[in-house]
Amino acid sequence: MMTTATASGTALIEIKDLTVTYRSKGREVRAVEGVSLQVAARQSYGLVGESGSGKSTILRAICDLAPVTGGSIRIAGEALEDPRGTDFSRQVQMVFQDPYASLHPRHTIDRTLSEPLAIHGIKGSDQKVMQALQDVGLPTSFRFRYPHQLSGGQRQRVAIARALMLEPKILLLDEPTSALDASVQAEVLNLLNRLREERGLTFLMVSHDLAVIDHMCDRVLVMQHGRAVEELSRDDLAEAKMTTAYARSLFEASADRMLA
Amino acid sequence: MSLLEVKNLRVTFATETGPVEAVRGVSFSLGRERLGIVGESGSGKTMTGRSVLRLIRPPGRIEADAMSFDGVDLMAASEREMRALRGNRIGMVMQDPKYSLNPVMNVGEQLTEGLRRRDRIGRTEARAKAIAALEAVQIRDPERVMAAYPHELSGGMGQRVMIAMMLIPEPDLLIADEPTSALDVTVQAEVLAILDGLVRDRGMGLIFISHDLRLVGRFCDRILVMYKGKVVEELEAKNLAQAQHPYTQGLLNCLPRIGGARGPLPGLDRSGDWAKEGA
Ligand SMILES: Nc1ncnc2c1ncn2[C@@H]1O[C@H](COP(=O)(O)OP(=O)(O)OP(=O)(O)O)[C@@H](O)[C@H]1O
Ligand SMILES: Nc1ncnc2c1ncn2[C@@H]1O[C@H](COP(=O)(O)OP(=O)(O)OP(=O)(O)O)[C@@H](O)[C@H]1O
Ligand SMILES: [Mg+2]
Ligand SMILES: [Mg+2]
């Protein structure tokens, strides 16, 4: 497989033969099965594929939020500590797929955004909260609202703002713009790309919209039923050079978002 | 006669900093068709949908000159009459399905509850119907999903469970709030085909709220475009590309494309008069 980051040691995120198995009431669910991927520093890597195929689980496994039963995850060449230390949250932040569940219902937006700063003893919280709201296109008057007083897309933007508060190096983005209208989506994608450039960020992002993936990612992994089906470079994707039937079916069902 | 008639709907929330007008005079009528609602994040799409079911919690308040469903005056109906409509003749797929499902009840119980209570059918038959409904929305492993709790589902599985649950009672009107945003394109196509079939074969009315303009453009019959609590444009879905309103035109311009340029996406120019508060 041709990649720009295969020489081991150069990848910032290195996942090898990852297997995740959920157990509930005697049943085993193999959510991820033997998935490997590498993301070089400053790259943006996409995950696409079937609903339920394990995309969110991979991101959660990096944050120690899923039961890893095999394989390894390394960040900058180092195995991750269990549980993840405080350094981890300054280095890696995740935007969850489900912004309602990920925001504390009884905390104001102000508290949600300033808390990570307080935990890490970072000053200038007021200024930073205002800036973060502006960055994601929310009026600063929303500071004192609660999550239930926001629309779905407004909550999603709060979740993105929160992930940016600690200025992490790596962002794990799970469907970050699927609840946003096209204009806010454009603003958020532009913001993410600008930050990636300016701060040298690395992204691992999930989306069902191949046009978003194409716009944002250098490479993409297609998943189905817990397994990696095919990895594609951005050019391979745009030129329909996929080799598996499944990846092709996703591409063909996306005919409405190709450059005419 | 139309199935749903909404005239001058307003939804207002009293907050510490004064009233927030989430919906400001929305009117539309719906036949047995697919009506898309698109629009700005926060423009009142969800509140419009919830108003039809009178599911706005205090301090929110609904006002309307008229709101009727198949001859029933929704503004005058008692809470008991509303409960009888909800989830039976009118279904709503919520934007946050995993949050809207009951977290302490497994999927199977949630799917079969209504069947057993309302349709008085036995456990085995209800279970078979529920499994068939999950299979129809392309759930790979319906037996396992029946026993699962909402937090054990992926985002798109939660959406599909909610769709299955709303379709089991065969509603006359389905309000679907971002029902396919977490589905991959091939599963999405299957789910849309089911909804399409219900509109065509059973004459169900469908309100389809979505941010995916291209999807709404090819799937719906008619589209309402909302901005700041108002409907700013109404058009035939097939004419979406020829939209007149600057907001709609702007939206179409901001979309990324496969194989498109990688530079910053064009933003929406909000300097025009149309974007001013109270416009
Ligand atoms: N806590 C859990 N307990 C048991 N099974 C789980 C749990 N969380 C996820 N799963 C299962 O793991 C599988 C993968 O889920 P995951 O959320 O990673 O999918 P996904 O690819 O993100 O899908 P989507 O695109 O629909 O969000 C699914 O079959 C899901 O039911
Ligand atoms: N409880 C509340 N108190 C105050 N304002 C509220 C409350 N609930 C919703 N709002 C406001 O009402 C407006 C309309 O919300 P609604 O959820 O209908 O938006 P939407 O069009 O569905 O947006 P999205 O596409 O982001 O889901 C939003 O600006 C929101 O901030
Ligand atoms: Mg997911
Ligand atoms: Mg909404």
Side-chain angles (χ1 to χ4, degrees):
Chain A
M1 207 180 285
M2 281 270 298
T3 68
T4 46
T6 33
S8 82
T10 65
L12 183 60
I13 306 173
E14 191 174 6
I15 295 179
K16 238 185 172 155
D17 287 326
L18 181 71
T19 297
V20 178
T21 314
Y22 290 103
R23 284 196 180 80
S24 70
K25 287 176 292 164
R27 272 174 209 265
E28 283 199 350
V29 182
R30 189 64 54 85
V32 176
E33 215 164 341
V35 171
S36 302
L37 63 89
Q38 301 196 355
V39 190
R42 296 169 168 265
Q43 258 203 346
S44 175
Y45 192 97
L47 292 175
V48 302
E50 195 187 15
S51 166
S53 63
K55 304 178 298 294
S56 299
T57 301
I58 291 178
L59 302 195
R60 295 171 63 89
I62 296 173
C63 300
D64 198 20
L65 296 170
V68 173
T69 50
S72 64
I73 303 174
R74 289 170 173 272
I75 303 279
E78 308 264 338
L80 294 166
E81 290 177 75
D82 288 328
R84 306 287 185 260
T86 46
D87 274 0
F88 180 80
S89 57
R90 296 202 66 163
Q91 199 179 10
V92 182
Q93 281 286 319
M94 174 154 172
V95 175
F96 291 86
Q97 183 172 12
D98 189 357
Y100 215 143
S102 75
L103 299 177
H104 194 296
R106 297 195 200 292
H107 290 181
T108 61
I109 304 314
D110 187 69
R111 177 154 178 206
T112 295
L113 296 182
S114 56
E115 206 151 68
L117 299 174
I119 290 170
H120 290 88
I122 298 168
K123 299 223 162 48
S125 150
D126 248 31
Q127 182 56 38
K128 289 198 163 87
V129 167
M130 307 283 256
Q131 184 61 47
L133 287 171
Q134 266 169 30
D135 282 345
V136 294
L138 288 176
T140 47
S141 62
F142 275 36
R143 271 177 86 178
F144 301 107
R145 288 203 189 182
Y146 290 89
H148 77 269
Q149 297 176 311
L150 303 182
S151 77
Q154 290 163 346
R155 283 195 285 269
Q156 186 123 349
R157 282 181 271 171
V158 170
I160 294 170
R162 179 180 55 184
L164 295 172
M165 293 308 293
L166 290 175
E167 304 191 1
K169 279 288 176 207
I170 297 173
L171 277 180
L172 309 176
L173 301 158
D174 200 348
E175 298 272 10
T177 61
S178 66
L180 305 180
D181 71 68
S183 72
V184 180
Q185 166 169 284
E187 284 160 24
V188 168
L189 296 183
N190 289 345
L191 169 73
L192 289 171
N193 273 337
R194 200 182 72 228
L195 292 175
R196 179 153 80 102
E197 186 102 325
E198 289 171 5
R199 299 186 192 165
L201 302 188
T202 303
F203 296 162
L204 178 54
M205 77 182 272
V206 177
S207 174
H208 284 303
D209 188 333
L210 286 191
V212 169
I213 290 287
D214 177 85
H215 185 73
M216 296 295 291
C217 300
D218 309 299
R219 283 182 303 141
V220 51
L221 186 68
V222 180
M223 292 192 59
Q224 186 182 29
H225 206 23
R227 294 178 184 274
V229 170
E230 182 170 6
E231 188 185 68
L232 295 162
S233 71
R234 189 207 177 211
D235 289 344
D236 291 345
L237 175 68
E239 290 158 24
K241 287 195 182 135
M242 47 284 298
T243 57
T244 60
Y246 182 66
R248 185 160 296 280
S249 72
L250 287 182
F251 183 77
E252 283 170 356
S254 302
D256 63 352
R257 43 214 71 197
M258 308 212 187
L259 198 64
Chain B
M1 201 192 78
S2 62
L3 186 63
L4 177 71
E5 196 72 53
V6 175
K7 280 207 185 98
N8 198 19
L9 171 71
R10 314 184 75 86
V11 179
T12 313
F13 289 93
T15 70
E16 280 167 29
T17 50
V20 172
E21 296 183 291
V23 180
R24 304 187 298 153
V26 163
S27 302
F28 64 93
S29 65
L30 174 80
R32 303 191 177 270
E33 60 176 329
R34 299 159 298 189
L35 176 70
I37 304 185
V38 303
E40 208 200 6
S41 163
S43 62
K45 302 180 298 294
T46 296
M47 293 305 151
T48 299
R50 295 182 71 103
S51 295
V52 172
L53 286 165
R54 291 225 323 251
L55 283 176
I56 305 281
R57 286 186 210 95
R61 223 180 54 243
I62 305 175
E63 292 164 295
D65 293 350
M67 194 158 67
S68 64
F69 163 72
D70 201 17
V72 182
D73 181 347
L74 295 174
M75 295 301 287
S78 68
E79 189 46 38
R80 201 164 140 246
E81 288 169 290
M82 289 308 296
R83 267 203 304 275
L85 286 177
R86 286 183 203 129
N88 292 319
R89 295 199 60 204
I90 311 179
M92 180 157 181
V93 176
M94 301 287 178
Q95 189 172 6
D96 295 281
K98 281 170 75 180
Y99 182 84
S100 311
L101 292 167
N102 185 338
V104 295
M105 213 173 169
N106 73 31
V107 167
E109 288 162 7
Q110 297 189 55
L111 287 176
T112 53
E113 194 195 26
L115 279 170
R116 287 163 50 79
R117 187 166 37 79
R118 192 184 48 240
D119 302 342
R120 298 175 198 286
I121 62 177
R123 184 180 297 275
T124 324
E125 196 189 336
R127 192 179 156 76
K129 274 202 167 184
I131 288 181
L134 291 177
E135 275 168 348
V137 293
Q138 308 290 305
I139 294 282
R140 262 182 188 271
D141 193 350
E143 298 278 346
R144 192 238 322 163
V145 169
M146 288 284 280
Y149 288 86
H151 76 273
E152 298 174 326
L153 305 176
S154 79
M157 288 161 76
Q159 281 187 335
R160 287 178 281 160
V161 165
M162 183 113 206
I163 292 169
M165 189 153 114
M166 290 301 135
L167 292 182
I168 284 176
E170 308 193 342
D172 295 307
L173 168 62
L174 182 70
I175 302 167
D177 195 355
E178 296 278 3
T180 64
S181 63
L183 301 184
D184 63 87
V185 282
T186 54
V187 168
Q188 179 184 68
E190 302 282 349
V191 169
L192 293 178
I194 296 176
L195 296 179
D196 194 42
L198 293 172
V199 174
R200 266 186 310 161
D201 306 337
R202 280 217 3 262
M204 182 179 82
L206 176 65
I207 297 180
F208 192 90
I209 300 173
S210 174
H211 283 303
D212 193 330
L213 291 172
R214 291 177 282 215
L215 172 61
V216 172
R218 67 183 150 82
F219 177 67
C220 293
D221 302 303
R222 235 164 13 108
I223 302 179
L224 303 180
V225 183
M226 288 187 67
Y227 190 80
K228 288 206 170 114
K230 291 190 170 176
V231 174
V232 295
E233 183 161 20
E234 177 175 346
L235 70 178
E236 295 292 313
K238 58 178 189 296
N239 299 333
L240 181 60
Q242 286 84 48
Q244 295 301 309
H245 195 276
Y247 172 67
T248 325
Q249 288 175 343
L251 279 188
L252 290 164
N253 252 329
C254 305
L255 294 168
R257 283 179 175 66
I258 298 172
R262 283 213 112 179
L265 295 162
L268 180 66
D269 178 5
R270 292 173 199 264
S271 63
D273 281 344
W274 62 270
K276 303 278 184 305
E277 190 59 58

